Amino acid sequence: MYLGALELDILLGDVRSLKEKRSVVKPVIAALARYGVSVAQTGDHDVYRRAHIGVAVAGADAGHVGDILDTCERTVAARPEFQLLSARRRIFGPED
């Protein structure tokens, strides 16, 4: 079994309140959850224009886990309402 983790650092566009931030981040989390991953906002809860989103997935082989993480990263990067600043990925396998 392989476990994959993806940490996304996002700069939000014209957001002036935490309510606006939630209205931008919530649909992204819902879109990522459709890929069968666990996803949550994991940082910068009190900062209007920044968000950290964490994604986790388990799979039978490393290639499949990597493909799912690639898809999640591309989905977030394609959103026009914010900018993906960084994406950090880790895959853990039986030897770890």
Side-chain angles (χ1 to χ4, degrees), residues 8-85:
L8 303 167
D9 185 9
I10 298 169
L11 177 65
L12 303 173
D14 189 25
V15 174
R16 295 191 179 112
S17 70
L18 292 177
K19 186 175 180 179
E20 285 182 40
K21 175 183 179 177
R22 190 171 44 252
S23 72
V24 172
V25 172
K26 191 174 178 179
V28 174
I29 289 174
L32 293 175
R34 290 187 197 115
Y35 297 119
V37 300
S38 296
V39 59
Q41 183 179 353
T42 58
D44 288 331
H45 295 283
D46 295 334
V47 181
Y48 296 166
R49 296 200 60 222
R50 292 288 291 271
H52 283 111
I53 295 178
V55 177
V57 62
D61 62 38
H64 180 66
V65 170
D67 290 344
I68 291 172
L69 295 179
D70 285 341
T71 301
C72 290
E73 185 177 343
R74 281 193 303 271
T75 299
V76 171
R79 306 281 295 210
E81 62 269 21
F82 51 75
Q83 178 182 5
L84 179 61
L85 297 176

